[in-house]
Amino acid sequence: MSTRPEHDLIAFAERLMSLLDLSQRSATYKYAVLLGLMDLCLEATDRHGQAPQSVTTRELARKVIELYWPHTQNFEMGPLARVLRQNNGGQARVLADIVAFRERLPDPSVTLDRARQFDSAGFGRLLDDVEWTLILMPLPRLQVVGGHSDPFVYLIGWNLDTLRLRADVRRYQRGEGGDFDNLIRFLPGVGDHLVRLNGLLRPLIYRGWASMVARFNGLPESKLESFLFGIDRTSLNPVRELLTDLQHGQCFYCSARLGPAAEVDHFIPWARRPDNGIHNLVVADRRCNGAKSDFLAAPAHVGTWMERNRGRAAELDAVASQVRWESHLDRTLGAARGIYLRLGEGTRLWLARDEFLKVEPGLVQAALA
Ligand SMILES: [Zn+2]
């Protein structure tokens, strides 16, 4: 074994990907759990760029629901429209639970955030069910290879052989305390590895996940990845005008006057981490948005963005509540730190049109402070 950190990182990435390859591929849970853990590590990155040492089963359940939410919309294939199967046999339990929750809503096509506001009790029950499924199935099984459990990502504090497990989890979910330990403890360095590997592993996980769903449903893979993981651009329309007003009708990046073709841009690119939260959205003209594409913006833009989120906090809150938009500044900032504070030497950040700057850690840090 090498002691050089970059070798450790690569070895870790390879082990992680082999878990997905070797898994008894009966449901897509492993993808959801890994991606969920990665997202939670990003979101909880602190001011010094440190990833968390543990997350809870509750947090993971919330994240897994977020990941599967767009997947529980009907997929249209010719005259047929149906929710895609994510299990070898019938539907995966987590998906079935989410579908049932959706169907009880007056408008099942709403965003998760709206659904949660509309039926918070139902959402609470959904969280309980999904958390229990995670406790029972993917979390104890993720690191089992060839019948042997070989934890190198996390340790859990519960045992499936305990007869009282269901009762303990129920008691914990009702807030009555008890013996259930809901922490998923990362092994040393793992949180940091997951954050560093985000840019690299996310597209691989998307690809593997989409290919598995294609296989379960007898579909070609081509359209599937964008259905499962793409941006729903029309859904951004409700905030476009309000954010344009907040920017005095100017492009966020170049200050040019915005015309009718203005576009909502994800400041932290969707490809790096899907985040429709109001604080991650800015309005740009088509030229800037197209040029920025999936690149990260340069420190000067980060500074403007931090300034906007801080200085216009009240107005952003007002926009979010006016159109009932999702808003979670802490998670958005945590992810920005997780991504920006760990950029490798030589990474290029987008400045304007076809101009890029090489990353300078000091500048990035200052911009995020
Ligand atoms: Zn512009």
Side-chain angles (χ1 to χ4, degrees):
M1 271 300 265
S2 159
T3 52
R4 291 170 60 189
E6 66 271 29
H7 288 195
D8 292 349
L9 189 66
I10 292 167
F12 176 81
E14 285 181 354
R15 270 186 97 177
L16 209 58
M17 292 317 286
S18 74
L19 279 187
L20 297 174
D21 288 340
L22 291 171
S23 64
Q24 27 89 21
R25 300 168 128 235
S26 59
T28 54
Y29 290 157
K30 290 195 175 187
Y31 295 104
V33 166
L34 275 183
L35 213 49
L37 293 175
M38 203 185 277
D39 273 343
L40 290 172
C41 284
L42 275 172
E43 290 172 6
T45 300
D46 71 13
R47 305 195 152 272
H48 312 289
Q50 292 296 313
Q53 296 180 356
S54 64
V55 298
T56 67
T57 50
R58 197 73 176 168
E59 290 168 326
L60 183 64
R62 171 179 61 77
K63 191 41 87 177
V64 164
I65 294 171
E66 280 175 24
L67 286 168
Y68 279 126
W69 186 259
H71 302 189
T72 55
Q73 281 182 303
N74 282 334
F75 178 79
E76 307 205 4
M77 257 308 257
L80 292 173
R82 62 189 157 95
V83 174
L84 296 173
R85 282 198 290 116
Q86 302 225 13
N87 193 30
N88 215 353
Q91 182 57 286
R93 170 124 174 232
V94 168
L95 277 283
D97 288 343
I98 298 173
V99 169
F101 170 70
R102 247 191 205 276
E103 282 171 352
R104 287 192 299 269
L105 297 165
D107 175 8
S109 71
V110 291
T111 63
L112 176 57
D113 210 58
R114 290 249 182 132
R116 191 160 36 197
Q117 290 173 31
F118 183 82
D119 181 7
S120 58
F123 183 74
R125 285 190 297 275
L126 175 64
L127 260 181
D128 283 348
D129 292 341
V130 171
E131 185 180 26
W132 170 242
T133 302
L134 295 175
I135 289 166
L136 197 61
M137 297 202 287
L139 282 169
R141 287 186 197 168
L142 184 79
Q143 304 172 98
V144 175
V145 175
H148 296 283
S149 179
D150 183 12
F152 68 98
V153 185
Y154 56 78
L155 298 171
I156 51 175
W158 65 90
N159 188 339
L160 288 186
D161 300 331
T162 313
L163 291 172
R164 291 185 359 234
L165 185 61
R166 184 70 187 111
D168 282 345
V169 170
R170 279 222 178 89
R171 206 142 21 101
Y172 142 79
Q173 290 183 332
R174 286 195 299 257
E176 294 165 7
D179 289 338
F180 182 70
D181 171 5
N182 71 348
L183 286 185
I184 301 165
R185 295 176 177 81
F186 295 117
L187 285 148
V190 164
D192 186 67
H193 283 353
L194 288 176
V195 171
R196 274 178 200 273
L197 289 167
N198 171 58
L200 199 65
L201 292 188
R202 183 179 299 273
L204 295 176
I205 293 176
Y206 284 172
R207 189 68 42 85
W209 190 339
S211 125
M212 195 171 185
V213 174
R215 191 160 51 81
F216 287 156
N217 294 276
L219 295 172
E221 274 171 52
S222 48
K223 272 195 202 157
L224 214 52
E225 198 173 326
S226 79
F227 170 76
L228 295 173
F229 305 110
I231 307 175
D232 179 3
R233 290 226 163 256
T234 55
S235 72
L236 297 171
N237 285 340
V239 289
R240 195 179 60 175
E241 261 179 61
L242 295 167
L243 287 176
T244 303
D245 289 346
L246 207 68
Q247 294 174 203
H248 307 297
Q250 295 175 324
C251 171
F252 181 82
Y253 298 103
C254 72
S255 300
R257 192 106 222 113
L258 288 170
E263 292 171 348
V264 176
D265 172 59
H266 292 85
F267 189 76
I268 298 294
W270 186 265
R272 292 264 178 171
R273 175 176 171 272
D275 180 0
N276 267 337
I278 194 76
H279 301 94
N280 193 41
L281 302 179
V282 300
V283 184
D285 52 28
R286 196 170 269 177
R287 203 175 54 174
C288 284
N289 196 26
K292 177 171 173 273
S293 182
D294 286 343
F295 294 109
L296 289 164
H301 297 310
V302 176
T304 315
W305 179 66
M306 292 292 287
E307 196 50 47
R308 191 227 29 190
N309 283 342
R310 213 173 272 144
R312 317 296 295 273
E315 286 128 301
L316 286 166
D317 283 345
V319 169
S321 65
Q322 189 179 337
V323 289
R324 296 216 230 133
W325 200 260
E326 60 183 280
S327 168
H328 31 68
L329 182 58
D330 289 352
R331 285 160 61 186
T332 300
L333 283 186
R337 289 192 291 261
I339 290 168
Y340 270 101
L341 296 181
R342 279 185 175 70
L343 291 174
E345 232 176 285
T347 305
R348 284 169 191 277
L349 302 175
W350 179 80
L351 184 62
R353 296 188 219 180
D354 54 0
E355 286 174 60
F356 288 80
L357 297 176
K358 262 199 198 153
V359 71
E360 282 182 55
L363 284 182
V364 170
Q365 228 160 345
L368 278 169

